[in-house]
Amino acid sequence: MDCCLNPRFILYSIKADVRRRMMDIPVSSDVVVIGAGPAGARTAERLASMGYQALLLEREKVIGEPVHCTGVVSTECFERYELPEELILRKINSFVLRSPSGRAVQIKRKQTQAYVLDRVELDQELVNRAVRSGVSLYTEMDVRDVSWEDGKAQISCKIGSKEYQIQSKIAVVATGYGSPLSRKLGLSQFDSYVSGSQAIVDAKGIDEVEVFTGSSLGKGGFGWIVPWRENKALVGLLTREHTVSYMHALINKLQDQGRIGSILKTYRTRAIPVGIPRKSVIDGILAVGDIVSQAKPTSGGGIHYGMMAADLASTTISDALIQGDFSAQALMPYQEQWHAVLEHELNQGVKLRELIEQLPDIVIEQLHRLLSIPGAKRLLSSSTFDWHSSSLTQVLEKLQFRRRNFSND
Ligand SMILES: Cc1cc2nc3c(=O)[nH]c(=O)nc-3n(C[C@H](O)[C@H](O)[C@H](O)COP(=O)(O)OP(=O)(O)OC[C@H]3O[C@@H](n4cnc5c(N)ncnc54)[C@H](O)[C@@H]3O)c2cc1C
């Protein structure tokens, strides 16, 4: 195995890099990227590999921690970003969909659809790639403010009690959903969100992903068990409100059924935006990833969308650096391009979510039964993992459950 792909090596090299560079924080750079999640790490990596100076600033001490995410990515995402096999914990080619009463339907395909990755190792891999491309990484660097003044992005940050000011030609904000920087910068705000919670649990004999539906998981909520490392699984849910109490109820139910054992680690609750932002660029500053809702409104998955947007952002940034024009207008191609790629999917996802949130259990139960009619199950199983809204809409159509607002596009 290539030692560079070994997670231990990844951690070691990041620590060594931080130690080496910490003494010498530059006061200026071509680009400063704030937030070392998938969106930020990918943006920084791309820019450094194009030859630009890129600083990557991360608030946490350990890249990828604290983790909240299941780490499921499509095969499309895995292949596009040439992720290493070593990150794969499980392959997914089927899942069991449970109705509110517990009735099960298996949705299966011949080929692998998605992988469960260790999310901490994924983030570390992406950051390690960025560092290898020439990015200067600083952890424990809490960015307090970003502004555009005198033709430069001004970044105010803190390590412990020590304050730093860094200037750059362009700043990229990739701090995830709910970051106060979003409001400060006047980027689109989302009052509509779902929140997710997840735990690692002891679990023997869980070999297939299961998805739970119904009002016991809250409005429009769904839950999951995902097989993880040996004899361990991830149990989680995504819902509109009272996430923690619904999560407790789900865990208790699965424990009562003897399906899972004790909780090994509880993750923090995290929100995921639901909506389409109108503003993801301002003068000298772009926003990438969850902070501007580049996540699926249905399932909440955002790793792939954020990384795709990162690629578009880095191309626009490179053009702006070549032209020496950092105005919002010069950065607008990024916004137009990511809207062209993701807007339809996000719109459909929002409508689908709103529809599902209105369905009483009795209707979900009926829809679930109808899934066994020829065509509906086949359509659902032919849905691609990251671009599923149109096939889900077709399933509802097939079940004669189409609402007028789906045909308005
Ligand atoms: C329960 C749950 C399960 C999920 N499961 C999946 C899944 O299976 N697959 C999937 O694709 N998506 C999943 N998601 C969504 C996924 O986690 C996000 O879409 C993804 O992490 C967004 O990436 P990002 O880079 O935009 O932001 P983040 O991953 O949130 O990264 C932002 C980074 O910015 C740093 N930061 C924040 N503020 C500052 C600051 N002021 N200064 C410096 N650094 C800062 C943070 O520490 C963090 O490292 C899940 C979400 C939840 C809640």
Side-chain angles (χ1 to χ4, degrees), residues 31-202:
V31 185
V32 168
V33 180
I34 306 156
R42 175 72 185 174
T43 311
E45 184 215 335
R46 289 260 300 150
L47 287 163
S49 54
M50 290 179 210
Y52 299 108
Q53 294 170 310
L55 301 189
L56 180 57
L57 311 182
E58 168 56 46
R59 182 178 56 193
E60 301 295 334
K61 187 173 183 176
V62 178
I63 298 295
E65 295 275 7
V67 73
H68 57 269
C69 168
T70 319
V72 177
V73 298
S74 62
T75 46
E76 182 189 341
C77 172
F78 191 86
E79 282 156 21
R80 170 173 286 157
Y81 297 104
E82 297 176 340
L83 297 172
E85 298 270 325
E86 284 79 358
L87 296 181
I88 299 176
L89 299 177
R90 303 279 177 156
K91 296 181 178 180
I92 303 175
N93 72 337
S94 69
F95 68 96
V96 170
L97 184 62
R98 288 206 180 264
S99 73
S101 70
R103 191 174 170 273
V105 168
Q106 189 194 42
I107 312 289
K108 190 168 184 172
R109 285 181 79 170
K110 283 198 183 109
Q111 290 85 20
T112 301
Q113 288 298 291
Y115 299 108
V116 183
L117 310 181
D118 183 308
R119 174 62 201 265
V120 175
E121 290 179 4
L122 171 66
D123 284 19
Q124 293 182 352
E125 162 68 17
L126 297 175
V127 168
N128 203 39
R129 282 180 182 189
V131 170
R132 286 201 302 257
S133 301
V135 168
S136 301
L137 166 73
Y138 297 92
T139 53
E140 296 178 85
M141 181 74 103
D142 186 9
V143 174
R144 312 302 283 254
D145 199 13
V146 188
S147 58
W148 179 252
E149 286 162 38
D150 306 326
K152 298 262 183 213
Q154 315 282 345
I155 295 108
S156 313
C157 37
K158 259 184 148 181
I159 301 181
S161 57
K162 206 151 186 233
E163 296 191 5
Y164 295 87
Q165 288 291 328
I166 305 173
Q167 282 190 342
S168 63
K169 293 173 185 163
I170 294 186
V172 178
V173 187
T175 43
Y177 178 69
S179 165
L181 294 177
S182 171
R183 201 171 291 276
K184 279 188 182 165
L185 291 168
L187 296 167
S188 296
Q189 297 295 312
F190 299 95
D191 295 325
S192 179
Y193 61 89
V194 287
S195 69
S197 181
Q198 189 172 250
I200 302 176
V201 296
D202 267 327

Side-chain angles (χ1 to χ4, degrees), residues 158-362:
K158 259 184 148 181
I159 301 181
S161 57
K162 206 151 186 233
E163 296 191 5
Y164 295 87
Q165 288 291 328
I166 305 173
Q167 282 190 342
S168 63
K169 293 173 185 163
I170 294 186
V172 178
V173 187
T175 43
Y177 178 69
S179 165
L181 294 177
S182 171
R183 201 171 291 276
K184 279 188 182 165
L185 291 168
L187 296 167
S188 296
Q189 297 295 312
F190 299 95
D191 295 325
S192 179
Y193 61 89
V194 287
S195 69
S197 181
Q198 189 172 250
I200 302 176
V201 296
D202 267 327
K204 288 199 175 72
I206 305 263
D207 291 321
E208 194 170 30
V209 172
E210 276 189 45
V211 176
F212 309 102
T213 58
S215 58
S216 66
L217 300 159
K219 194 178 166 195
F222 72 93
W224 60 85
I225 301 188
V226 171
W228 202 58
R229 294 187 182 276
E230 201 184 352
N231 294 332
K232 294 184 179 62
L234 300 173
V235 173
L237 64 75
L238 206 63
T239 191
R240 277 281 182 189
E241 51 194 8
H242 309 306
T243 311
V244 174
S245 16
Y246 286 122
M247 179 69 178
H248 283 320
L250 176 63
I251 294 266
N252 287 341
K253 187 172 158 188
L254 292 170
Q255 283 175 332
D256 289 348
Q257 291 171 348
R259 306 210 47 212
I260 62 168
S262 50
I263 298 176
L264 301 173
K265 185 174 178 184
T266 309
Y267 289 156
R268 61 185 175 160
T269 299
R270 269 285 295 260
I272 295 170
V274 176
I276 297 101
R278 294 283 145 231
K279 202 170 177 186
S280 51
V281 301
I282 55 176
D283 284 342
I285 300 169
L286 300 87
V288 184
D290 268 18
I291 188 171
V292 280
S293 192
Q294 290 161 350
K296 290 176 256 181
T298 42
S299 68
I303 296 170
H304 191 186
Y305 285 6
M307 290 178 71
M308 285 171 69
D311 288 354
L312 298 171
S314 50
T315 304
T316 295
I317 292 168
S318 172
D319 291 345
L321 288 166
I322 290 166
Q323 301 297 326
D325 181 356
F326 314 119
S327 64
Q329 204 185 349
L331 302 180
M332 198 50 84
Y334 157 63
Q335 179 163 304
E336 288 163 0
Q337 285 162 13
W338 85 255
H339 276 212
V341 177
L342 297 179
E343 190 173 18
H344 176 72
E345 193 69 20
L346 296 181
N347 265 322
Q348 291 292 90
V350 169
K351 287 177 186 172
L352 199 57
R353 167 157 281 286
E354 283 167 358
L355 171 63
I356 290 168
E357 284 177 358
Q358 290 164 29
L359 302 181
D361 281 357
I362 189 163

